[in-house]
Amino acid sequence: MNIWSSKLHLATWTVMSFLCVFSDEVMVRDSDLKLCEKDKRVCVTDLRDCAPQPPASIQKTLNMSCCYQISQSSITCEWSQEFNSYTEPDVSLIFSSEDTIISCQGIFNPAAVLNVTARIKNYMMGREVWSQPHTVFLYDAVKPSQPVLTVLGSTEDSIVVSWRSNVGNGCCRLCYRVDNTHTWTQVPGYVPARRDETLTYTIRDLLTFTVYRAAVACREDSGIWSDWSSDVSTRTLDRVPSKPPEVCYRVETTDSGGSFLLHLMWKELDLRDAGGRVLGYQVSYKPVKKQQLQERIIQNVTDVTAFLVVEEGNCSVTVTAFNTAGCGPAAHLRIDTQARNTLPSVTSLWVSSSFPAINGLLVQWESPTASPSVPPVSHLAVQWRHETRPSTSRWTTEDNKITSTVIQDVDPDESYLISVFPIYPHQQCGPPQFLPASLQQGALMEPVQLKVGGVTKTTVTVVWVWQRKAGPIRVNRYRVMLTKESESKTLSLWPPQWQLTFNNLEPNTEYSLLLLADDVSRNIIPVRTDFDEMPAVATATPLLLLAVIVFITSILSRTVYKSYFFPPISSPQGSTAGQWLMDPNHLKTAERNLLDIEAFQVTDILGQKSLITVCPDSQPSSEDLRGDTSLLSISHLIIKPSSLELDPDYISDAPVITEDRLVSLQSYHADYTVSCHLPDTVCLNKDSCVADTALLHQTHEGNSYFPQKKEESGFSRETALKCNFCEFIPNSHCAYQLACEAEYVSSFLGKTDV
């Protein structure tokens, strides 16, 4: 079944390949005809056509029509016929009459009636076709002469033409087209015509300032049309632009302080939007300042961009399109240079071509990413112009959700500069992204000099350079790939980007870097990531940091808890007396005053030596003595004279002191020495004082003790300290001082601060 279907399809294709429609128009002048010798009623252009015609049954009927041109004394016939051949056949006309023809040069006259037969010969196929005779009444087949058309004038949208009619009781028809195009448009209806009448017609609904071509043809009542007249051309007039241009602006800073560069851009108005052609644009600028009149600055430009140096503050800007008919409506802008925003541009711009399948350029991009500080894009403007002719720019606008467009009607032999502008609210436009392109090569940029810019343990940075494309190869996209065995990472390259970074790679690993043009590799670069020298440290670092944080937190919490629940209590060890008493180096001190004897002064009238006995006011227990030496304090000592009898007048205010036992100094392992220091000028009995002091030292070194008395809890020793009282100069303030030098007195006094 499939075999027979294939054969049938092949046969059908072969038949259709050789099947063609032949349509031709043949004009024969009477001067070209020859009379056949055997048949005096036939005139032919080729004597071979004088052969007998085939039977009428095999002659083919053709859709033939003929017309008679009196001025040229000729007949033109046309028809259509199908032939199974690629070659054009040879066609000839055979004219026959019912009457005998004397000369073929006179057969074409208005009163003649002729039969016309067409002979179609195909020498390659070896076949010929004879048509059935077509009867022509030359009077009714007269073709009117060609009229002459002239232009009377034009307006903004119309053309007025005129011609002279050469037909009687006939009609004429008009057609027109835009110059440099091939499509004709016929005016609806016909214009009635009479012979030798001058006719006028207005062709309306035309484009302004556009060149048109027009022609006219006429016919008689017989229905035979004359040839079209020669083309006439004229241009419609200008019209005042009907719409303002769509303007957006961008404010840029300059090197000079206090001034800014105002960049204005607008879409070029086409003929319909502008109401006609546009010769240029008028841009005016005026600063807006309070209590100050400023003149408006006006400049004319022919491009769709303008640059103005403006002052800081508010300003008013207008843009108006104009032509020979005048200026159209203006686009108004009120700009505050201090409130300018840095607006982003589109990204990933690329241009590709599918010529000749599609006669256009595909432009693709990505809109700016929305952010709280940047307003959303309202729409996008796509501009393209010849690289060598900037004045030929054209625009189109796209919705903010559209990311591609196709530019139609571009010249295959030209290169274009394509720009994409994001338009923001309040007629602000972001910076453009542009790319050169052509139908033959697509985008005219390519990345070169690909190399590794930097390597770490987990990243590889790639850099490259964009340059003008050198070859005719079309590339829809460029990519760079980092691959390792079966794994790969791919990133796309877009101008003007010049570097990118591959992240999350493995340390000390060999990779291959590839530059891909579509899916074809351009070059391969080997690259290895850095060696991870301290993986253990890197792993342990978070744990160590966590441990330090826990330790510091525990210390701080312990300090806080202790200060809150256990407030600090003053300790005797921290006092000055306690530190002095706990100092083990008291023996190194040359002399220290233990007691100030001034508090215990008595008046010695007799001037005799008196003995002062130092003893505690109460006897501590043995456990107290062994426990804390602080029980022995100065506040518990009582000093009294032992054998001195004083005059009551001198001691009337002295308190009554009872004698008590002294604690033995030796029991606390303290060497106790008492010495009396009196100045030589006032001491009356200095020798006695020194002798007694020596006797005291001798007694202590010989381990002889003062009288002692036992207690119930143990025993205690009573130690009597003896010193001479020196009498000061009479009639002066009498004072007695006991200066006692103590060694290891800390054992005796305990922790009491003196």
Side-chain angles (χ1 to χ4, degrees), residues 455-470:
V455 178
T456 65
K457 292 182 292 185
T458 58
T459 64
V460 171
T461 301
V462 185
V463 296
W464 63 91
V465 176
W466 289 97
Q467 72 172 17
R468 185 85 174 193
K469 183 182 292 185

Side-chain angles (χ1 to χ4, degrees), residues 68 107-113 137-139:
Y68 171 47
I107 66 171
F108 294 161
N109 58 79
V113 177
F137 296 92
L138 296 187
Y139 179 81

Side-chain angles (χ1 to χ4, degrees), residues 562-563 565-575:
K562 182 178 180 181
S563 62
F565 294 103
F566 304 98
I569 302 174
S570 59
S571 174
Q573 294 181 357
S575 63

Side-chain angles (χ1 to χ4, degrees), residues 40 90 93 174 245 367 466 501 548-549 579 621 623 625 627 650 716:
K40 300 299 181 179
D90 185 15
L93 295 180
L174 286 164
S367 297
W466 289 97
T501 301
V548 171
I549 293 174
Q579 294 178 0
S621 62
E623 294 180 359
L625 294 176
Y650 293 92
S716 63

Side-chain angles (χ1 to χ4, degrees), residues 103-239:
S103 175
C104 293
Q105 280 71 26
I107 66 171
F108 294 161
N109 58 79
V113 177
L114 301 175
N115 293 323
V116 182
T117 302
R119 183 182 181 184
I120 305 170
K121 299 177 288 293
N122 193 326
Y123 296 103
M124 180 175 290
M125 300 296 295
R127 297 177 57 186
E128 66 178 9
V129 174
W130 290 75
S131 68
Q132 292 182 353
H134 175 67
T135 302
V136 177
F137 296 92
L138 296 187
Y139 179 81
D140 295 334
V142 174
K143 185 176 183 179
S145 61
Q146 184 181 23
V148 177
L149 186 67
T150 59
V151 177
L152 297 180
S154 63
T155 63
E156 298 171 353
D157 58 354
S158 64
I159 297 174
V160 181
V161 294
S162 176
W163 71 97
R164 187 175 183 81
S165 173
N166 54 5
V167 296
N169 297 326
C171 62
C172 299
R173 58 184 179 181
L174 286 164
C175 63
Y176 64 93
R177 63 182 175 89
V178 178
D179 195 18
N180 298 326
T181 62
H182 303 284
T183 302
W184 288 90
T185 301
Q186 183 173 333
V187 174
Y190 299 98
V191 179
R194 295 183 178 87
R195 190 173 298 277
D196 299 332
E197 181 183 8
T198 301
L199 302 175
T200 302
Y201 189 84
T202 302
I203 305 175
R204 303 183 184 278
D205 299 330
L206 303 180
L207 298 177
T208 58
F209 202 76
T210 305
V211 177
Y212 285 92
R213 289 187 174 274
V216 64
C218 299
R219 72 175 180 181
E220 295 281 358
D221 293 338
S222 59
I224 300 176
W225 288 96
S226 67
D227 292 333
W228 288 99
S229 66
S230 299
D231 297 347
V232 293
S233 63
T234 186
R235 184 190 296 271
T236 55
L237 300 180
D238 278 336
R239 177 188 297 168

Side-chain angles (χ1 to χ4, degrees), residues 146-442:
Q146 184 181 23
V148 177
L149 186 67
T150 59
V151 177
L152 297 180
S154 63
T155 63
E156 298 171 353
D157 58 354
S158 64
I159 297 174
V160 181
V161 294
S162 176
W163 71 97
R164 187 175 183 81
S165 173
N166 54 5
V167 296
N169 297 326
C171 62
C172 299
R173 58 184 179 181
L174 286 164
C175 63
Y176 64 93
R177 63 182 175 89
V178 178
D179 195 18
N180 298 326
T181 62
H182 303 284
T183 302
W184 288 90
T185 301
Q186 183 173 333
V187 174
Y190 299 98
V191 179
R194 295 183 178 87
R195 190 173 298 277
D196 299 332
E197 181 183 8
T198 301
L199 302 175
T200 302
Y201 189 84
T202 302
I203 305 175
R204 303 183 184 278
D205 299 330
L206 303 180
L207 298 177
T208 58
F209 202 76
T210 305
V211 177
Y212 285 92
R213 289 187 174 274
V216 64
C218 299
R219 72 175 180 181
E220 295 281 358
D221 293 338
S222 59
I224 300 176
W225 288 96
S226 67
D227 292 333
W228 288 99
S229 66
S230 299
D231 297 347
V232 293
S233 63
T234 186
R235 184 190 296 271
T236 55
L237 300 180
D238 278 336
R239 177 188 297 168
V240 175
S242 60
K243 291 185 178 181
E246 299 177 7
V247 185
C248 65
Y249 72 93
R250 185 172 75 253
V251 179
E252 301 175 355
T253 58
T254 60
D255 297 335
S256 60
S259 63
F260 299 88
L261 181 63
L262 180 60
H263 187 191
L264 300 173
M265 295 171 289
W266 56 87
K267 178 182 178 181
E268 184 178 8
L269 298 177
D270 55 20
L271 293 176
R272 293 190 179 276
D273 293 339
R277 66 166 179 166
V278 175
L279 295 179
Y281 298 88
Q282 186 180 86
V283 180
S284 64
Y285 158 72
K286 180 181 179 181
V288 179
K289 293 185 178 180
K290 296 182 179 179
Q291 300 178 355
Q292 186 175 0
L293 296 178
Q294 297 288 332
E295 295 183 358
R296 184 173 292 274
I297 302 173
I298 300 175
Q299 68 178 31
N300 295 331
V301 296
T302 57
D303 201 358
V304 292
T305 59
F307 295 91
L308 300 175
V309 178
V310 299
E311 300 177 358
E312 184 176 5
N314 295 330
C315 62
S316 174
V317 178
T318 61
V319 180
T320 305
F322 66 87
N323 53 24
T324 57
C327 294
H332 296 274
L333 297 176
R334 191 174 183 87
I335 302 171
D336 184 4
T337 58
Q338 296 178 344
R340 63 187 184 276
N341 296 326
T342 302
L343 302 175
S345 60
V346 298
T347 58
S348 305
L349 176 64
W350 194 250
V351 181
S352 56
S353 174
S354 300
F355 183 77
I358 300 177
N359 187 19
L361 292 172
L362 175 62
V363 184
Q364 297 173 298
W365 65 87
E366 291 183 4
S367 297
T369 304
S371 63
S373 60
V374 177
V377 176
S378 59
H379 60 281
L380 297 113
V382 181
Q383 178 194 29
W384 67 96
R385 62 177 177 83
H386 295 279
E387 283 192 298
T388 58
R389 291 177 292 169
S391 60
T392 59
S393 63
R394 299 176 61 187
W395 285 70
T396 183
T397 57
E398 301 292 344
D399 189 73
N400 58 354
K401 297 181 181 179
I402 301 299
T403 58
S404 64
T405 187
V406 177
I407 300 175
Q408 302 284 355
D409 299 331
V410 291
D411 191 348
D413 299 327
E414 289 284 346
S415 59
Y416 294 85
L417 186 64
I418 301 173
S419 304
V420 179
F421 299 85
I423 309 300
Y424 294 89
H426 308 293
Q427 296 174 282
Q428 297 187 73
C429 57
Q433 287 291 341
F434 52 87
L435 196 65
S438 68
L439 276 177
Q440 301 294 340
Q441 303 182 40

